[in-house]
Amino acid sequence: MPTESAYPKLDIPNVDLWTFLFERKDRSFPDDKVIYINPDTKRSYTYGQVRSTALDFGKGLKANWEWKKGDVLALYTPNCIDTPAILWGTLWAGGIVSPANPGYTAEELAFQLKDSGAKALATQKPFLQTALEACKKAGIEEDRIILIGDEKDETAKFKHFTNVRNISGATRFRKAKIDPKKDLAFLVYSSGTTGHPKGVMLSHSNIVANTMMIKVGEGGNLSWKGGKDGQGDKIMAFLPFFHIYGLTCLIHQSIYSGFTLIVMPKFDLEQFCSHIEKFGITFAYVVPPIVLLLGKSPVVSKYDLSSIRMMNSGAAPLTRELVEAVYDRLKIPIKQGYGLSETSPTTHTQPWETWRTHIGSVGRLLPNQAAKYMSPEEKEVSAGETGELWLKGPNIFLGYLNNEEGTKNALTADGYFKTGDVGHQDKDGNFFITDRVKELIKYKGFQVPPAELEGLLISHPDIDDVAVIGIQDHEQATEVPRAYVVPKKGVEGNKETEKNIVDWLAKKVASHKKLRGGVRFVDEVPKSASGKILRRVLKVRAQEEEKKGEKAKL
């Protein structure tokens, strides 16, 4: 029998996100509660300012561009305190938001713009050139590109979002009518083993449900008031807002529960530690490579991090050694959670009180869900036995955009999502993730599809055949991509050729897709009779190479 969540069932309202966040009757914190702070410029938004800015922007969209229900606004920006207002203003106008990685090349961004059918793009001034190139490829007019952040375009060619929202006559517009369970709020892109990223369709109800589920998972340990300064919990926000982890756990949870986010555009260890000390940060969502730095880097010793009451690690498995190293050094407890883009994302988290007694577990199943582990023959296995995790609940996505086959393979007729992750649960309801069915490489939480890199590498003039796998780099606590290359006849498989290949690919892909695991030269790529790459054979070879001391090249 499937495992049902042990938490009491939540009464999830059938409302759109705007209504859920800004028309609620149960909000305990005031309008002037500060929610988002830029620690560098000190610019901030209170709850009331987010609401009014979003409302103005949503009306501006309708007035400027005759925005229609279902139109997609893409985001191509690092973390910014303007992002939340842009998100909810678009949703108010009936639109869908599709956030993209600001590390994308023009080609990668253009694919997402075209696949999502984006009608407009919001970016920041330093990213304009790549945005322009991508929009040109995707057929988006230049006057549909707007800027957010502190820098404006001095030529006034590209409007700042504050100009889009400040338009006369916009007061006549009304909020779009939304069917929460069917209408999309977000199109987030999750890489697939077939190469191109897949558009994960998340409804308003999916995000409403998961926001409420996360609050239950944190068990009332986080508060909008109290603490040393009476200003409540302050959360460090460096996880990218374009990723579902940051989108829900940071942006939505903060405005729903009244927490203050200290928003970093990207991770920098020195600034991370400095902000914790300066602002009295009490909680942080992190990933294993950050935990590793906290346990080992000498930079950490320069700062007082004692305000941190708990950290939550996700996006990749976390080892006992890392957890204990940080606690021994800093006395900061670290619990784990689990989720995927397709689950909005959080499905499991460890209760605060069990962080040490169940290190290695991703925690317990959050409310309103059912889960089961399945054998390769799709038969349910018993507690303690290993299988693929299947999940069901109100947070499960609606399917992949423009991808019927992918949707059919991921979702069962009775509503279960096949996660592709392998693990087990113990007799007490603690869940464990030990491996992945999927071939995706996870570099510091970012997904890297091997087939995409192989498709690019095969076009290199020195390469006859190639396969890409993920190898574990223990020093950084993450997987890194490595290419196994069959060189063209007459090409030597030496260090010079390796460097040429690594540098060549680096110019064509986002930073997280670089061949940090280096290149190994082989006589042939192992394949099945049907031509499928046998990655497991290469993984065994990589393990043998590691034993011989051939470490990942970083």
Side-chain angles (χ1 to χ4, degrees):
M1 288 289 291
T3 299
E4 299 279 345
S5 173
Y7 288 103
K9 195 166 184 178
L10 292 171
D11 182 14
I12 298 168
N14 185 34
V15 295
D16 63 273
L17 271 166
W18 180 274
T19 302
F20 174 67
L21 296 172
F22 298 114
E23 296 178 9
R24 53 191 292 205
K25 302 291 189 280
D26 62 343
R27 177 166 55 94
S28 57
F29 55 91
D31 279 6
D32 63 359
K33 169 67 181 177
V34 176
I35 306 294
Y36 307 109
I37 296 176
N38 181 324
D40 301 315
T41 67
K42 306 300 185 292
R43 193 159 67 89
S44 65
Y45 279 90
T46 64
Y47 172 88
Q49 288 168 336
V50 172
R51 186 185 189 281
S52 62
T53 303
L55 189 58
D56 286 347
F57 179 69
K59 290 176 179 179
L61 280 181
K62 289 193 169 192
N64 278 276
W65 296 336
E66 297 180 355
W67 201 253
K68 296 186 289 294
K69 183 179 173 181
D71 282 352
V72 175
L73 174 73
L75 294 179
Y76 181 62
T77 169
N79 287 4
C80 176
I81 63 169
D82 295 331
T83 298
I86 296 288
L87 296 181
W88 296 313
T90 304
L91 298 185
W92 179 91
I96 301 165
V97 176
S98 186
N101 185 340
Y104 273 174
T105 62
E107 289 76 15
E108 290 169 321
L109 177 58
F111 170 79
Q112 183 166 330
L113 295 177
K114 285 188 277 191
D115 191 67
S116 66
K119 303 291 186 186
L121 176 71
T123 188
Q124 291 196 51
K125 191 183 174 186
F127 298 82
L128 251 180
Q129 201 54 47
T130 304
L132 277 167
E133 192 179 333
C135 284
K136 188 174 182 181
K137 292 175 184 288
I140 296 175
E141 297 294 329
E142 287 188 3
D143 64 358
R144 288 292 186 105
I145 300 174
I146 58 172
L147 298 180
I148 66 173
D150 294 302
E151 288 189 75
K152 296 187 178 182
D153 175 26
E154 59 274 5
T155 69
K157 184 178 180 182
F158 298 99
K159 286 182 179 179
H160 195 266
F161 87 99
T162 51
N163 300 121
V164 173
R165 66 186 179 95
N166 291 332
I167 183 166
S168 60
T171 53
R172 69 182 185 277
F173 296 104
R174 297 287 179 267
K175 183 171 80 72
K177 291 183 178 179
I178 298 295
D179 183 335
K181 289 187 171 67
K182 294 181 180 178
D183 290 335
L184 302 188
F186 298 102
L187 264 173
V188 298
Y189 275 72
S190 176
S191 297
T193 52
T194 53
H196 281 305
K198 295 178 290 187
V200 177
M201 299 190 290
L202 298 172
S203 70
H204 285 253
S205 287
N206 288 154
I207 307 299
V208 167
N210 204 240
T211 302
M212 295 179 71
M213 290 158 64
I214 291 168
K215 184 167 186 175
V216 170
E218 299 304 352
N221 290 296
L222 297 174
S223 171
W224 67 269
K225 60 180 179 179
K228 289 181 181 178
D229 57 6
Q231 294 179 20
D233 278 290
K234 297 184 182 71
I235 300 178
M236 182 60 76
F238 67 87
L239 293 173
F241 290 171
F242 66 81
H243 191 281
I244 191 65
Y245 191 3
L247 185 65
T248 306
C249 294
L250 293 175
I251 292 181
H252 283 85
Q253 187 189 189
S254 58
I255 199 95
Y256 180 62
S257 296
F259 308 141
T260 299
L261 286 193
I262 307 302
V263 179
M264 296 176 66
K266 62 180 181 179
F267 182 78
D268 175 89
L269 182 61
E270 189 99 36
Q271 289 186 343
F272 176 81
C273 295
S274 174
H275 294 333
I276 290 175
E277 181 179 277
K278 183 176 180 180
F279 290 92
I281 301 295
T282 59
F283 186 89
Y285 286 100
V286 296
V287 290
I290 308 304
V291 179
L292 180 71
L293 288 172
L294 291 172
K296 292 187 174 182
S297 174
V299 168
V300 177
S301 300
K302 294 159 53 180
Y303 298 93
D304 177 5
L305 310 185
S306 61
S307 60
I308 292 276
R309 298 196 289 119
M310 177 67 76
M311 287 186 178
N312 182 93
S313 181
L318 187 64
T319 65
R320 173 179 291 275
E321 290 75 20
L322 288 181
V323 174
E324 291 184 339
V326 172
Y327 190 73
D328 290 344
R329 182 184 188 187
L330 302 172
K331 293 295 180 279
I332 295 175
I334 303 172
K335 67 187 184 72
Q336 270 200 90
Y338 171 78
L340 307 97
S341 298
E342 291 88 343
T343 57
S344 303
T346 311
T347 60
H348 299 71
T349 193
Q350 280 182 288
W352 283 40
E353 64 273 14
T354 69
W355 75 270
R356 199 162 199 181
T357 55
H358 292 86
I359 295 176
S361 167
V362 296
R364 296 179 182 172
L365 192 63
L366 290 182
N368 296 53
Q369 296 178 104
K372 52 187 177 181
Y373 282 103
M374 304 293 281
S375 71
E377 296 74 35
E378 298 197 346
K379 303 290 184 186
E380 189 173 356
V381 300
S382 302
E385 294 182 8
T386 299
E388 180 188 2
L389 179 61
W390 290 16
L391 293 164
K392 185 178 184 179
N395 52 313
I396 302 298
F397 75 130
L398 301 189
Y400 297 114
L401 181 71
N402 307 323
N403 191 338
E404 269 188 55
E405 185 180 355
T407 301
K408 187 177 179 182
N409 291 336
L411 294 171
T412 67
D414 59 347
Y416 277 91
F417 168 55
K418 304 175 183 180
T419 67
D421 286 327
V422 172
H424 64 276
Q425 62 174 311
D426 65 18
K427 58 181 177 56
D428 299 318
N430 298 293
F431 283 69
F432 296 80
I433 301 296
T434 54
D435 205 347
R436 288 202 304 280
V437 173
K438 298 174 183 176
E439 296 172 337
L440 282 175
I441 301 162
K442 274 198 170 181
Y443 172 68
K444 294 187 176 180
F446 293 104
Q447 297 171 330
V448 182
E452 180 185 357
L453 300 190
E454 289 158 359
L456 289 167
L457 287 165
I458 202 66
S459 68
H460 190 284
D462 294 338
I463 294 176
D464 234 350
D465 199 4
V466 62
V468 175
I469 63 168
I471 61 164
Q472 189 67 24
D473 177 66
H474 300 289
E475 292 178 2
Q476 288 201 85
T478 185
E479 281 186 313
V480 292
R482 173 183 288 172
Y484 283 82
V485 167
V486 179
K488 282 264 203 258
K489 192 173 181 180
V491 175
E492 285 190 33
N494 54 26
K495 294 292 182 186
E496 185 179 344
T497 306
E498 177 181 11
K499 186 176 186 305
N500 173 278
I501 291 169
V502 170
D503 292 348
W504 178 86
L505 183 68
K507 294 174 183 176
K508 295 181 177 292
V509 296
S511 176
H512 65 279
K513 298 178 186 176
K514 291 178 181 179
L515 291 175
R516 286 179 167 83
V519 173
R520 297 289 184 269
F521 295 98
V522 293
D523 293 327
E524 66 176 1
V525 172
K527 294 180 181 177
S528 68
S530 63
K532 186 176 181 181
I533 294 171
L534 298 174
R535 298 186 202 278
R536 65 180 182 275
V537 175
L538 292 174
K539 283 186 176 289
V540 170
R541 178 178 178 135
Q543 289 167 357
E544 291 171 353
E545 289 168 348
E546 185 179 8
K547 287 176 186 175
K548 293 176 186 175
E550 297 180 33
K551 298 245 174 127
K553 301 192 189 298
L554 301 165

